[in-house]
């Protein structure tokens, strides 16, 4: 220690430290005063929780009290007419005083001073409100909905709806729920929409989703979040900042004047501002918006009503906090994709989550911009420069996690080093995230494939059993959506059991074959499931099809139908059971012994017989019968429970379906794609099912329901998507939630148009044989037109050399079948998995003695990569004088010509022999020339090119949307003229068919 010449101060010097202490009388007195002030202020804080201040809340009156909320009207004495109206919504865990925490410098103070009429919703604390701990998210959305009605009625004006954090989510949801009625604009502050894009603190979504789903199902309904838990939780989100603020407060405790301006805000954050969070509301949040991301995808549920943010059409302003770790910028900016029909703007501020609405940044920037936004919306000002149209992807160097905050701060001192660190941190983060997602996909697929591999002929497995398992596991989970209504597992289970009792009462027993003639509707699903639960066989018949012949073919004596198809079903003379439409509708045919209305049967009065065992179906037993084809080609296909389960679990695995998906079933249940892929895959994957009405639906309805239901997967058959593409319901670049189209039979050109218009969605094309257990899937989707490869867990396949003319398998000198070389057409075989009865078309001793195989009805080729391509059906190969000509390659080549709408290829009988003919229709607004056909056909070998190609006005389609070659043939021979072209094998071009050439081909016809 050393002293210098001044007697009033002493200078201390140590290694690394130099300090000066004022020991003058004035200095000592000042220190004593400071110590006394600290003690006095500290005692006040201990006794009263804070310092007394003269900052008063803005005046308000409660104009409406309801069980869910109180509606505050601020500055009620101001009766100025014609003012803009703002309705402010707080988040659930924060007190409604958040809008007035800075008094004159807060939201209501600044907005009122600007001539804006302010109203605030106060949800209160669940700890003090009646039934508060039982509230769910729908209660709060409906509360906001009611408050909007009240404010609009009281003011006669539309409201500018504003919400902070989850309050902003409520603003989005409520406006969508009421289709924008009464809302002039939406303003949100740090309100996340796309949870996947911006998980708080950079956590991997796959892990968070699984945890959130578990908590929602098993924990949160029993464990509400109290006020103290909320307060401690928020403080732990940034412990460094919390500790620093408390230390700063203690160091300034002597200076009362410096502390008072921020005292109200400090007390709000430390204690007064937090309220509890009811368990059901937390469960809803975790389930719908974290685990399933439905705010982004659409299809979140408000009281059994599916809603999508695509319904939003009013202007939106979203405030983005660049250093907000809760409402991360990427998550907040998800609104621009979730609300494609709205004009979305953003204002970006360097602020955290709380700083967006309270504090100096909010006072100086947020609320002045909100004021100018409302003035601009009211037509009285210009849009501030800081408010710009929102862009989905905005590059930002703002730190995203607590760890990167430290790196970001250090970067100001070591910019280059931090840049490298940031790159490494991003690389590691993306790698971990990708690994987690891949592990999640594998974890979903493995149990399905394991269960599939464990199925034996005696295993109990059926549609009814899987639905029963879902109902036991998650009774309140959504199962399917139809006509803007959501039906849970529990509700569907009750409906199925009631239908079972109704069927028992009219004499339906296990193993009975019962025809189902119904449009796609909930009752159709309930009937099919009820027959499965009863152990009966559902014979699925297309409405309007050849019912008499189909019934004779399948041995059906009883039909179940809906009111729309009752007259057709009754005309067959069979006993008809009517289901659907409720018990108050009028039937077109009188009821009696032959027509029974199942809706009039009281299930509680039905005595369940002793023989009834629910879900008795074994894997080897017949579950469904499908009737395919028309006319002379009408045939029945028999599907066992094992065959159905094979397609169901195979589809779920190949498409990676899970509980986050909503599968839109365009394919009807009477089609194999609807029964095996759509319904089966969705149930096996635990996904929601959105039932679409018959596809005479308007394309506009498809667009609305895709958004409203949050559809991620769309099923199809054949050319079903053609009408939607022509209508351009989603123009290229339009945001939508669809990630995948799955089905079978899509032509190559239509496939290409689909992926172009619905990018980034892809197509997953399936092939499922009716006989045997063959399932192929083109999972990558890179090879358009290919059927892909065998799905793991399904039958092993082989391609054998086959003569389509003699219909014989080619064998070698040893008598065993010859396997096809690469790209050689052959017959597809599936190995018999159970070694059962092969007398009905099976094969033994194909490649070695004693082996067992099922031949499919189709011919394929396999390319050098191992992918399979459909060549033809065995019965549609064109047998010309030059040899067999395969129809599918012709169809694929023609469909890939841009002007071509639909096409068919068939064998045309003429006096000179059978010709390979192809008919095509042209898309509206396009024109096709013979040169287009010539160039396209160069992809085929000369002997595989059609002899004739001609244009028709329209190609009829079957009920499954397959272009009908039979109907085209029935229309007559092609006519000579500029739209009919014949292949000149000498010049290798297609030329116009002249009258003379036509006479030579067709004789006098």
């Amino acid at each position: 220690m050393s002293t210098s010449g001044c007697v009033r101060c002493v200078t201390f010097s140590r290694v690394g430290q130099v300090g000066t202490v004022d020991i003058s009388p004035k200095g000592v007195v000042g220190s004593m005063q400071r110590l006394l002030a600290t003690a006095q202020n500290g005692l006040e804080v201990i006794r009263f929780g804070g310092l007394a201040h003269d900052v008063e809340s803005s005046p308000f009156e409660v104009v409406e009290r309801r069980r869910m909320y109180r509606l505050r009207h601020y500055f009620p004495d101001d009766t100025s007419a014609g003012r803009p109206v703002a309705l402010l919504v707080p988040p659930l865990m924060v007190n409604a005083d958040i809008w007035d925490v800075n008094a004159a410098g807060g939201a209501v103070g600044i907005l009122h001073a600007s001539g804006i009429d302010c109203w605030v919703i106060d949800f209160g604390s669940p700890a003090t409100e009646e039934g508060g701990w039982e509230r769910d998210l729908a209660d709060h959305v409906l509360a906001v909905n009611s408050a909007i009605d009240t404010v609009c009625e009281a003011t006669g004006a539309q409201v500018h709806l504003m919400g902070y954090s989850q309050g902003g989510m409520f603003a989005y949801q409520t406006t969508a729920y009421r289709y924008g009625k009464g809302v002039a604009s939406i303003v949100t502050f740090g309100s996340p929409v796309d949870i996947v894009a911006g998980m708080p603190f950079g956590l991997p979504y796959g892990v968070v989703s699984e945890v959130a789903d578990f908590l929602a199902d098993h924990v949160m309904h029993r464990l509400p979040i109290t006020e103290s838990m909320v307060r401690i939780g928020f403080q732990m989100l940034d412990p460094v900042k919390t500790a620093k603020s408390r230390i700063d407060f203690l160091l300034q405790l002597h200076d009362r004047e410096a502390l008072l301006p921020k005292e109200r805000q400090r007390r709000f954050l430390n204690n007064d501002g937090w309220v509890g969070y009811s368990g059901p509301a937390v469960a809803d949040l975790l389930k719908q918006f974290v685990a399933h991301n439905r705010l982004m995808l659409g299809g979140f549920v408000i009281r059994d009503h599916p809603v999508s943010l695509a319904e939003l059409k009013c202007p939106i302003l979203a405030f983005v906090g660049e250093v907000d770790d809760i409402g991360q910028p990427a998550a907040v900016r998800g609104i621009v994709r979730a609300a494609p029909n709205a004009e979305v703007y953003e204002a970006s501020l360097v602020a955290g989550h709380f700083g967006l609405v309270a504090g100096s940044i909010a006072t100086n920037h947020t609320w002045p911009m909100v004021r100018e936004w409302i003035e601009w919306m009211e037509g009285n000002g210009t849009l501030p420069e800081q408010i710009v149209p929102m862009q989905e992807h905005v590059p930002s160097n703002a730190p995203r996690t607590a760890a990167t905050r430290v790196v970001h701060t250090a970067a100001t001192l070591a910019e280059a080093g931090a840049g490298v660190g940031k790159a490494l941190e991003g690389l590691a983060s993306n790698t971990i995230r990708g690994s987690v997602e891949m592990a999640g996909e594998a974890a979903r697929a493995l149990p399905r494939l394991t269960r599939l591999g464990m199925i034996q002929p005696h295993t109990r497995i059926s549609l009814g059993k899987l639905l029963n398992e879902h109902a036991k596991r998650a009774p309140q989970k959504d199962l399917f959506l139809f006509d803007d209504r959501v039906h849970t597992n529990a509700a569907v289970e009750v409906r199925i059991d009631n239908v079972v009792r109704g069927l028992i009462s009219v004499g339906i027993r296990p193993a009975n074959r019962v025809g189902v003639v119904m449009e796609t509707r909930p009752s159709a699903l309930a009937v099919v499931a009820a027959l499965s639960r009863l152990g009966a066989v559902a014979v699925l018949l297309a409405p309007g099809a050849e019912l008499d012949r189909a019934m004779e073919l399948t041995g059906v004596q009883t039909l179940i139908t809906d009111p729309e198809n009752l007259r057709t079903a009754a005309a067959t003379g069979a006993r008809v059971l009517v289901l659907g439409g409720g018990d108050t509708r009028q039937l077109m045919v009188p009821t009696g012994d032959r027509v029974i209305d199942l809706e009039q049967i009281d299930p509680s009065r039905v005595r369940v017989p002793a023989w009834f065992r629910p879900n008795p179906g074994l894997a080897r037993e017949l579950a469904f019968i499908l009737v395919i084809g028309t006319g002379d080609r009408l045939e029945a296909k028999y599907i066992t429970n094992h065959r159905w389960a094979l397609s169901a679990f195979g589809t779920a695995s190949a498409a990676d379906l899970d509980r986050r998906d909503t599968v839109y079933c365009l394919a009807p249940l009477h089609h194999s794609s609807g029964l095996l892929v759509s319904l089966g895959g969705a149930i096996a994957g635990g996904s929601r099912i959105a039932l679409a009405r018959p596809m005479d639906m308007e394309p506009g309805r498809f667009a609305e329901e895709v958004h409203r239901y949050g559809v991620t997967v769309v099923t199809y058959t054949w050319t079903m998507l053609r009408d939607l593409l022509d209508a351009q319901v989603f123009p290229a670049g339009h945001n939508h939630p669809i990630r995948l189209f799955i089905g079978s039979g899509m032509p190559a050109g239509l496939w290409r148009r689909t992926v172009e218009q619905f990018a980034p969605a892809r197509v997953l094309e399936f092939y499922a044989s009716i006989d045997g257990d063959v399932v192929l899937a083109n999972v990558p989707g890179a090879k358009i037109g290919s059927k892909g490869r065998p799905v793991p867990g399904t039958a092993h396949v082989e391609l054998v050399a086959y003569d389509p003319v003699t219909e014989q398998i080619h064998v070698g000198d040893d008598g065993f079948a010859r396997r096809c070389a690469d790209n050689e057409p052959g017959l597809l075989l599936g190995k018999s998995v159970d070694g059962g009865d092969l007398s009905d078309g099976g094969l033994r001793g194909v490649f070695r003695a004693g082996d067992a195989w099922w031949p499919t009805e189709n011919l394929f080729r396999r390319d050098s990569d191992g992918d399979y391509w459909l060549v033809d059906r065995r019965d549609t190969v064109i047998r010309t004088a030059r040899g067999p000509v395969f129809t599918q390659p012709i169809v694929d080549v023609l469909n890939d010509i841009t002007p071509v709408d639909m096409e068919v290829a068939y064998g045309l009988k003429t006096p000179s022999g059978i010709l390979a003919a192809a008919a095509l229709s042209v898309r509206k607004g396009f024109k096709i020339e013979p040169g287009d056909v010539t160039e396209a056909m160069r992809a085929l070998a000369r002997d595989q090119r059609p002899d004739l190609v001609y244009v028709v006005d329209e190609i009829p389609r079957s009920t499954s949307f397959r272009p009908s070659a039979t109907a085209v043939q029935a229309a007559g021979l092609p006519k000579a003229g500029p739209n009919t072209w014949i292949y000149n094998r000498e010049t290798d071009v297609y030329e116009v068919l002249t009258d003379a050439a036509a006479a030579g081909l067709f004789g006098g016809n």
Side-chain angles (χ1 to χ4, degrees), residues 717-732:
T717 59
W718 298 99
T719 64
M720 183 177 286
L721 299 181
R722 166 250 199 181
D723 301 324
L724 301 177
L725 292 172
D726 288 345
Q728 291 194 329
V729 292
F730 290 125

Side-chain angles (χ1 to χ4, degrees), residues 690-701:
L691 296 177
R693 283 194 174 275
M695 270 298 295
D696 57 2
M697 61 175 284
E698 299 176 2
R701 187 196 303 169

Side-chain angles (χ1 to χ4, degrees), residues 234-311:
F234 267 89
Q235 291 171 352
M236 290 178 63
L237 292 179
D238 198 341
V240 175
K241 185 176 181 180
T242 300
K244 181 178 180 300
S245 65
R246 293 187 176 182
I247 293 172
D248 289 343
F249 178 76
L250 292 175
L251 293 177
Q252 296 184 64
L253 197 55
H254 65 283
D255 190 351
R256 188 182 187 91
E257 298 303 319
L259 293 176
L260 285 180
K262 296 182 178 180
E263 177 62 8
R264 191 161 185 253
Q265 180 175 319
R266 185 195 69 81
R267 294 180 68 167
F268 187 91
L269 288 176
N270 283 356
N271 191 58
D272 300 342
W274 309 108
V275 295
Y277 205 143
S278 64
V282 179
D284 273 354
L285 175 73
L286 293 175
K287 176 72 74 173
Q288 295 206 62
F289 304 132
V290 177
H292 298 165
N293 202 25
R294 299 223 189 277
L295 200 61
M296 183 67 200
L297 300 176
F300 57 89
V301 180
I302 305 298
R303 291 290 180 269
D304 297 334
H305 182 75
V307 185
S308 165
L309 297 192
E311 307 290 354

Side-chain angles (χ1 to χ4, degrees), residues 89-91 94 98-99 162-168 189 191 353-354 356-357:
V89 185
V94 178
I98 184 69
W99 303 114
M162 304 183 188
Y164 166 50
S165 191
Q166 193 177 0
F189 311 89
S191 300
H353 197 61
F354 188 77
L356 284 173
V357 294

Side-chain angles (χ1 to χ4, degrees), residues 382-403:
T382 59
L383 191 67
E385 293 182 359
Q386 302 96 319
I387 298 177
V388 297
M390 180 176 284
Q391 302 297 318
E392 182 179 347
H393 301 291
V394 177
S396 173
N397 295 321
R400 294 177 298 168
T401 67

Side-chain angles (χ1 to χ4, degrees), residues 819-961:
R819 290 180 171 89
C820 288
D822 288 347
N823 292 309
E824 178 186 1
L827 179 64
L828 187 69
L829 306 181
K831 192 171 182 62
S832 177
V833 294
D834 56 10
D837 180 21
L838 299 178
S839 60
D840 188 21
L843 302 173
R844 283 198 185 276
V846 178
F847 300 109
R848 61 181 177 84
D851 63 0
W853 297 82
W854 282 103
T856 68
E857 64 273 22
N858 295 105
L859 306 178
F860 280 81
R861 68 176 176 87
R862 183 187 59 246
D863 64 22
S864 57
D865 296 326
D867 292 301
Y868 288 81
W869 299 75
L870 180 64
V871 171
D872 214 332
R873 279 177 55 102
R874 286 191 285 176
D875 58 351
T876 58
V877 176
I878 305 172
R879 296 166 175 82
T880 68
R882 64 180 180 276
V885 175
F886 303 113
T887 61
Q888 190 62 41
I890 296 174
V891 167
D892 286 341
V893 166
L894 287 175
N895 195 260
D896 233 358
I897 303 174
T898 300
V900 173
D901 182 19
M902 290 188 293
E903 64 294 311
V904 293
Y906 62 92
L908 177 63
K909 294 182 179 180
T910 69
S912 57
I914 297 178
L915 301 179
L920 60 88
S921 58
V922 180
R923 293 168 58 190
K924 186 177 180 180
F926 287 83
K927 185 179 180 180
I928 190 169
E929 301 290 343
D932 300 328
V933 177
T934 298
E935 289 302 315
M937 288 300 168
R938 296 192 192 281
L940 301 179
R942 288 193 173 193
D943 64 339
Q944 291 298 311
R945 298 174 188 175
D947 300 294
L948 283 174
V949 177
Y950 63 101
V951 177
V952 296
D953 294 333
E954 184 179 2
I955 294 180
R957 293 182 289 179
S958 68
T959 55
S960 60
F961 297 89

